[in-house]
C-alpha cells in the first residue's frame, strides 16, 4: 500500500508531461493556422544573399498592377527526378513565384502544370511557345517554362529556365510581369554607324553570326520600342525621350546640332565614343577591308558640356586584364592584354542606382573622361579604372597590337581614370550662332524647331568612352540549346546599358533586378582544400615528369654505352655500376609515384573528412541543441519545484 502511494506523484508527473507535449503540439498547430489565416504574407528569408526577398523595384511593379495577370508554370516532374539540380532550381522558381503572388495583392495568380507526354497540357505548352527538351533515349520531352497573360490576351513567356541565368531570375520574372502590365512602351532612339540591329550585308554573305542584332539591342527591345535615327537627321522626333548615340564617327554639323538641341529640350542622351573601336576594326567595310579610321569623338558637344575626352589615348589596366594568345614568335602561349580588361570591385560606383548591382564591366581599348577646369556641370563617375592603370597612345592598339610588348612597357602610375560618367546640370548650346549652314541642295524640315541657347532645366547625359561595351564578344556568350540561341552573360555590359536606359527613362523599378545570388552555392572551404591539394599534386607531378625525363635520358646513355673507336659503333655491354645506377633510378621513380599517390589519398581524406563533419553538423547539430535545451529547461524546472517545496 505504501509503494502505491509513493508511485502516485511520479504518475502525475508523467501525465503532466504528456499533457504538456500535447498542449505544445496543439499550440504549434494553432499558431500555424492563425498565421496562415491572418498573416499569409509573413515570411522569413534566412538565406545569406536574401534570395527570396523581393527588391524594391519588383515590389513597385507588383503594387502598380492595374489589371490581373495570370502566370502558368509548366514543370515536368520527370526533369527533377532525372536531373536533381533542375529539381532544386524548380523549387526556388516556385517559391519566388509564390512570393510574387503574395505581394501582388490579388492582381497576380499562379497555375502550376505538369505537362505529361502526349497530354493536352503538353499541347498547351507547345502552343505557348515553350521549349521541350529530351532527358533520355526514349525521346519524351520535358518542360520547365513560364507563360504570362493579361486581360488583353497579350502573352509573354520564358521558354526554358536555365540554371545559368539564376542570378537574373528575379529580373526575368519581373520583366515578364512588367511587359504585361505596361502595353505602351517608351520609344528609344538609336543613332550609330555600327550594325546594332544587324548587318544585312553579312546575311547576304552567309555570315549569319555577324549579321545578327547585338544582344544588348535584343535585351532593350524586350522593354522598349527602338527607333533608328538617321545619321543625317536634322531633328530628333519629339516622342523620343531617350537616345543612344554609339560611335558617332564623322557626324555632320547638322546632325550634331540635332543632338545638341535634343539635349537642350530635355532629352536624355547616352553617348558612347571610342578612341579605337575593336568592333569596327573586326568587320570588313564596303571595300572588303576594315576601315583605317576606327576612332570617334564629339569634341564640339563634349567641350560645350564641360568635359574632355581625348581620342588619341587609351587606358591600360592590369587588374582584370584578359588573357589572350601571344604572338607566335613568343615562347609564352598566353599573356595579359592590358588594353582589354574587366572593371570590377571599387571601379564600379556602388552609390549609383544604375551600377550598384553590377559585378564587372568589360572594356576594350577604352578612353578616359575628365571634367574641364571651371565647368559647372555635375560630373559623377560611374566606372573607373583601377590604380594599376596608365595612359598610352591609341596608335599602339590600332594596328597589329603586340600584347607582350604592351605588357613589357606597362608602368602603372597609381591613378584611376574615369571610363563612364553621368553629367547633370544646365549647359549651353555648342552652336551659339544658331543652326549650321546646310550643304548645297539640302533643305530644313517644315516643322524645324526654334533654336535653344540653354538647356531647359538640368540636362542629363551619360558618356561612356568605349563603344565596345556593346559588342557581344566582350560580355555575352551565345550558345545553341537544342536549336535555340541562348545568351548567357559573363559580364554586366548589357545590364549597365539597360540600367542606364531605365534610369534615363525615369523608371527605377527594374534597376535593382539585374543580378542576384545563386541558391546552389559552392562549398568554398571544400574548394579551397581541393585547390591546395591539387597544387601540391601538380607540383609533385611536375617533379615526377622532370625525373622521368632525366632518367630516360640517362637510361639511353647507359644502354648505348661509351662510344667506340669507329663512328656509329656503341658498346651494348652494361657494367655492374651502370646496372646499379639504373636500379637506383627505378627506385627513385617508385618513391616519387608513392608520394604522388599519398598526395591524392590525402586529398580524398581532407575532402571526405570535411564532408563527414558537415553531415554531422547538419544532421546531428539541431537535435543535439534541442536535447541540450530540453535538459536545461528540465533542470531549471526541477530547481524551481525544489525551491517551491522548501
Amino acid at each position: 500500500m505504501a509503494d502505491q502511494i509513493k508511485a502516485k506523484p511520479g504518475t502525475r508527473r508523467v501525465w503532466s508531461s504528456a499533457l504538456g507535449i500535447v498542449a505544445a503540439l496543439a499550440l504549434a498547430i494553432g499558431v500555424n493556422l492563425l498565421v496562415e489565416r491572418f498573416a499569409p504574407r509573413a515570411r522569413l528569408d534566412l538565406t545569406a544573399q536574401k534570395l527570396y526577398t523581393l527588391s524594391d523595384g519588383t515590389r513597385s511593379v507588383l503594387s502598380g498592377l492595374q489589371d490581373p495577370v495570370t502566370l502558368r508554370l509548366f514543370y515536368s516532374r520527370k526533369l527533377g527526378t532525372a536531373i536533381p539540380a533542375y529539381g532544386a532550381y524548380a523549387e526556388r522558381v516556385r517559391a519566388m513565384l509564390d512570393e510574387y503572388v503574395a505581394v501582388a495583392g490579388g492582381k497576380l495568380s499562379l497555375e502550376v502544370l505538369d505537362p505529361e507526354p502526349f497530354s493536352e497540357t503538353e499541347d498547351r505548352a507547345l502552343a505557348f511557345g515553350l521549349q521541350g527538351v529530351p532527358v533520355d533515349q526514349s525521346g519524351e520531352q520535358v518542360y520547365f517554362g513560364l507563360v504570362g497573360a493579361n486581360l488583353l490576351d497579350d502573352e509573354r513567356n520564358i521558354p526554358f529556365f536555365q540554371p545559368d541565368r539564376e542570378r537574373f531570375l528575379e529580373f526575368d520574372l519581373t520583366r515578364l510581369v512588367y511587359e504585361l502590365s505596361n502595353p505602351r512602351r517608351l520609344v528609344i532612339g538609336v543613332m550609330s554607324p555600327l550594325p546594332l540591329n544587324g548587318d544585312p550585308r553579312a546575311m547576304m554573305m552567309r555570315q549569319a553570326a555577324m549579321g545578327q542584332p547585338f544582344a544588348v539591342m535584343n535585351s532593350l527591345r524586350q522593354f522598349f520600342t527602338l527607333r533608328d535615327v538617321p545619321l543625317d537627321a536634322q531633328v530628333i522626333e519629339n516622342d523620343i525621350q531617350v537616345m543612344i548615340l554609339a560611335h558617332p564617327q564623322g557626324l555632320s554639323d547638322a546632325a550634331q546640332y540635332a543632338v545638341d538641341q535634343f539635349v537642350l529640350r530635355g532629352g536624355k542622351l547616352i553617348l558612347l565614343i571610342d578612341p579605337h573601336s575593336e568592333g569596327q576594326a573586326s568587320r570588313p567595310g564596303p571595300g572588303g577591308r576594315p576601315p583605317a579610321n576606327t576612332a570617334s569623338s564629339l569634341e564640339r558637344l563634349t567641350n560645350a558640356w564641360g568635359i574632355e575626352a581625348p581620342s588619341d589615348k587609351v587606358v591600360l589596366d592590369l587588374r582584370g586584364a584578359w588573357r589572350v594568345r601571344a604572338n607566335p614568335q613568343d615562347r609564352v602561349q598566353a599573356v595579359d592584354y592590358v588594353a582589354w580588361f574587366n572593371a570590377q570591385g571599387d571601379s564600379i560606383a556602388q552609390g549609383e542606382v544604375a551600377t550598384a548591382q553590377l559585378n564587372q564591366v568589360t572594356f576594350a581599348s577604352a578612353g578616359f573622361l575628365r571634367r574641364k577646369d571651371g565647368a559647372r556641370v555635375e560630373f559623377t563617375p560611374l566606372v573607373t579604372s583601377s590604380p594599376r592603370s596608365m595612359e598610352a597612345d591609341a596608335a599602339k592598339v590600332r594596328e597589329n597590337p603586340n600584347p607582350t610588348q604592351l605588357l613589357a612597357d606597362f608602368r602603372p602610375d597609381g591613378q584611376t581614370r574615369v571610363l563612364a560618367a553621368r553629367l547633370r546640370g544646365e549647359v549651353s548650346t555648342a552652336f551659339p550662332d544658331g543652326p549650321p549652314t546646310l550643304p548645297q541642295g539640302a533643305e530644313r524640315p517644315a516643322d524645324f524647331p526654334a533654336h535653344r541657347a540653354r538647356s531647359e532645366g538640368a540636362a542629363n547625359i551619360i558618356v561612356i568612352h568605349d563603344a565596345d561595351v556593346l559588342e557581344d564578344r566582350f560580355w555575352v556568350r551565345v550558345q545553341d540549346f537544342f536549336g535555340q540561341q541562348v545568351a548567357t552573360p559573363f559580364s554586366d555590359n548589357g545590364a549597365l546599358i539597360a540600367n542606364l536606359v531605365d534610369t534615363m527613362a525615369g523608371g527605377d523599378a527594374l534597376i535593382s533586378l539585374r543580378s542576384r545570388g545563386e541558391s546552389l552555392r559552392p562549398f568554398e572551404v571544400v574548394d579551397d582544400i581541393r585547390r591546395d591539394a591539387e597544387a601540391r599534386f601538380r607540383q609533385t607531378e611536375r617533379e615526377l615528369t622532370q625525373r622521368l625525363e632525366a632518367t630516360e635520358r640517362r637510361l639511353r646513355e647507359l644502354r648505348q654505352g661509351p662510344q667506340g673507336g669507329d663512328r656509329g659503333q656503341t658498346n651494348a655491354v652494361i657494367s655492374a655500376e651502370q646496372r646499379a645506377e639504373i636500379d637506383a633510378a627505378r627506385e627513385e621513380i617508385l618513391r616519387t609515384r608513392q608520394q604522388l599517390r599519398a598526395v591524392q589519398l590525402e586529398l580524398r581524406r581532407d575532402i571526405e573528412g570535411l564532408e563527414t563533419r558537415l553531415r554531422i553538423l547538419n544532421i546531428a547539430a539541431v537535435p543535439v541543441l534541442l536535447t541540450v535545451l530540453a535538459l536545461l529547461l528540465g533542470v531549471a524546472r526541477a530547481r524551481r519545484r525544489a525551491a517551491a517545496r522548501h
Side-chain angles (χ1 to χ4, degrees):
M1 188 69 177
D3 293 339
Q4 294 179 355
I5 295 175
K6 291 181 180 179
K8 289 183 179 179
T11 304
R12 286 198 297 268
R13 283 197 296 270
V14 171
W15 280 104
S16 177
S17 300
L19 291 175
I21 293 174
V22 172
L25 291 175
L27 180 62
I29 295 173
V31 168
N32 285 330
L33 293 176
L34 290 174
V35 169
E36 182 67 22
R37 175 65 178 87
F38 297 102
R41 300 180 187 177
R43 287 168 172 81
L44 184 61
D45 187 357
L46 299 178
T47 58
Q49 297 175 314
K50 300 300 180 183
L51 299 178
Y52 302 95
T53 300
L54 301 185
S55 66
D56 294 338
T58 295
R59 293 181 178 274
S60 175
V61 171
L62 296 176
S63 61
L65 289 176
Q66 299 297 324
D67 298 320
V69 172
T70 301
L71 301 180
R72 296 180 177 90
L73 175 64
F74 289 82
Y75 172 65
S76 300
R77 298 183 183 276
K78 184 177 180 180
L79 174 62
T81 303
I83 308 177
Y86 276 98
Y89 188 34
E91 290 295 329
R92 189 194 168 188
V93 172
R94 174 65 186 272
M96 184 71 77
L97 290 174
D98 288 339
E99 189 71 10
Y100 274 55
V101 173
V103 173
K107 293 293 185 179
L108 195 66
S109 59
L110 174 65
E111 301 176 9
V112 181
L113 306 171
D114 183 2
E116 297 182 355
F118 309 106
S119 64
E120 293 184 0
T121 306
E122 183 183 28
D123 294 339
R124 293 179 64 189
L126 293 173
F128 284 134
L130 301 188
Q131 185 177 5
V133 176
V135 293
D136 53 31
Q137 300 298 326
S138 66
E140 294 182 359
Q141 304 283 324
V142 294
Y143 299 84
F144 185 21
L146 183 71
V147 178
N150 58 18
L151 292 180
L152 301 177
D153 292 331
D154 290 335
E155 294 178 357
R156 298 291 187 274
N157 66 32
I158 299 175
F160 200 94
F161 283 102
Q162 295 286 345
D164 292 343
R165 286 190 58 84
E166 184 178 3
R167 291 192 304 128
F168 307 95
L169 174 61
E170 186 181 3
F171 171 73
D172 291 339
L173 296 178
T174 304
R175 179 185 64 193
L176 185 144
V177 176
Y178 179 85
E179 291 179 354
L180 292 172
S181 61
N182 293 271
R184 295 186 60 184
R185 297 187 175 189
L186 189 72
V187 178
I188 306 296
V190 179
M191 177 187 285
S192 177
L194 300 174
L196 301 181
N197 289 314
D199 188 355
R201 295 180 306 166
M203 300 297 290
M204 294 175 60
M205 297 172 62
R206 297 183 179 180
Q207 297 177 344
M210 296 184 63
Q212 296 297 325
F214 284 23
V216 68
M217 293 293 107
N218 291 333
S219 177
L220 291 176
R221 195 172 286 110
Q222 294 173 347
F223 276 104
F224 309 102
T225 298
L226 303 185
R227 181 180 301 170
D228 287 331
V229 178
L231 293 172
D232 58 353
Q234 298 185 40
V235 178
I236 309 299
E237 299 176 9
N238 289 331
D239 60 343
I240 295 178
Q241 297 300 315
V242 180
M243 188 171 74
I244 299 174
L245 177 55
H247 199 48
Q249 195 176 53
L251 212 59
S252 66
D253 288 343
Q256 291 190 46
Y257 178 78
V259 175
D260 174 86
Q261 295 296 294
F262 169 78
V263 171
L264 297 184
R265 73 166 168 83
K268 282 80 172 178
L269 178 67
I270 299 176
L271 173 64
L272 298 99
I273 53 180
D274 206 332
H276 171 59
S277 171
E278 298 283 357
Q280 189 180 38
S282 65
R283 295 186 182 90
R289 296 176 59 87
N293 182 18
T294 57
S296 62
S297 65
L298 280 182
E299 292 185 1
R300 184 168 187 172
L301 297 184
T302 54
N303 287 335
W305 299 334
I307 63 170
E308 296 177 350
S311 60
D312 59 344
K313 298 288 185 180
V314 294
V315 177
L316 309 181
D317 197 339
L318 185 60
R319 188 177 79 175
W322 278 33
R323 297 282 290 178
V324 301
R325 229 182 285 178
N327 293 331
Q329 296 81 8
D330 296 333
R331 292 184 178 180
V332 295
Q333 295 182 351
V335 66
D336 289 332
Y337 188 35
V338 290
W340 297 359
F341 56 89
N342 299 325
Q344 51 195 214
D346 56 1
S347 292
I348 301 177
Q350 297 301 311
E352 287 292 312
V353 67
T355 55
Q357 299 295 326
L358 304 183
N359 295 318
Q360 70 175 26
V361 180
T362 302
F363 291 85
S365 301
F368 60 89
L369 307 169
R370 59 190 174 209
R371 183 166 57 178
K372 294 177 61 175
D373 295 337
R376 297 182 179 179
V377 67
E378 179 183 342
F379 182 84
T380 305
L382 298 177
V383 186
T384 64
S385 68
S386 77
R388 304 175 66 185
S389 64
M390 63 171 288
E391 302 170 12
D393 292 335
K396 293 185 177 181
V397 300
R398 286 175 179 164
E399 294 185 8
N400 298 322
N402 189 329
T404 305
Q405 189 63 42
L406 279 177
L407 186 60
D409 298 338
F410 183 75
R411 300 292 185 272
D413 55 13
Q415 298 181 7
T416 60
R417 290 159 178 85
V418 179
L419 308 174
R422 181 194 302 275
L423 310 180
R424 180 176 173 82
E426 294 187 2
V427 296
S428 300
T429 179
F431 297 84
D433 298 330
T437 304
L438 296 178
Q440 187 176 1
E443 298 180 356
R444 300 194 188 280
D447 55 349
F448 194 77
H451 175 72
R452 292 180 173 86
R454 293 189 61 81
S455 60
E456 298 179 359
N460 291 275
I461 307 165
I462 300 290
V463 181
I464 303 175
H465 206 172
D466 184 20
D468 291 315
V469 298
L470 303 175
E471 294 284 340
D472 290 359
R473 60 175 171 147
F474 291 116
W475 73 277
V476 69
R477 184 178 297 105
V478 180
Q479 297 175 325
D480 182 82
F481 183 76
F482 294 95
Q484 283 195 352
Q485 297 297 311
V486 177
T488 303
F490 59 84
S491 197
D492 292 330
N493 295 30
L496 171 65
I497 301 300
N499 288 357
L500 294 176
V501 173
D502 285 341
T503 304
M504 291 299 205
D508 295 339
L510 302 175
I511 297 271
S512 61
L513 310 180
R514 303 304 175 187
S515 178
R516 299 294 295 270
E518 297 182 357
S519 58
L520 300 177
R521 299 178 61 190
F523 287 102
E524 297 178 358
V525 177
V526 177
D527 291 341
D528 290 341
I529 293 176
R530 182 181 291 108
R531 280 192 293 267
D532 293 341
E534 185 176 3
R536 298 195 304 270
F537 168 73
R538 295 302 179 188
Q539 183 178 0
T540 306
E541 183 184 44
R542 185 166 54 252
E543 294 175 357
L544 171 62
T545 303
Q546 293 173 353
R547 292 179 184 178
L548 285 175
E549 292 175 353
T551 304
E552 289 174 355
R553 288 195 301 268
R554 183 56 181 162
L555 285 175
R556 285 195 297 269
E557 295 175 359
L558 293 173
R559 287 171 179 171
Q560 291 176 356
Q563 294 290 334
D566 296 334
R567 185 177 180 180
Q569 294 180 353
T570 61
N571 184 7
V573 179
I574 299 177
S575 64
E577 292 79 3
Q578 293 171 337
R579 174 63 62 185
E581 190 173 353
I582 291 175
D583 294 340
R586 289 175 175 172
E587 291 179 359
E588 183 179 3
I589 292 175
L590 290 175
R591 286 195 301 269
T592 306
R593 287 177 174 170
Q594 289 175 355
Q595 295 175 6
L596 181 59
R597 287 194 296 270
V599 171
Q600 293 174 314
L601 180 60
E602 195 65 27
L603 168 63
R604 290 195 298 269
R605 286 178 177 174
D606 289 345
I607 296 177
E608 291 174 357
L610 180 60
E611 183 180 359
T612 301
R613 291 193 296 272
L614 289 176
R615 286 180 176 177
I616 293 174
L617 182 63
N618 289 331
I619 298 174
V622 173
V624 168
L625 288 176
L626 292 177
T627 302
V628 172
L629 180 61
L631 291 174
L632 292 176
L633 291 176
V635 171
R637 176 182 292 182
R639 289 181 177 178
R640 286 197 301 269
R641 288 178 176 175
R645 293 194 197 98
H646 294 292

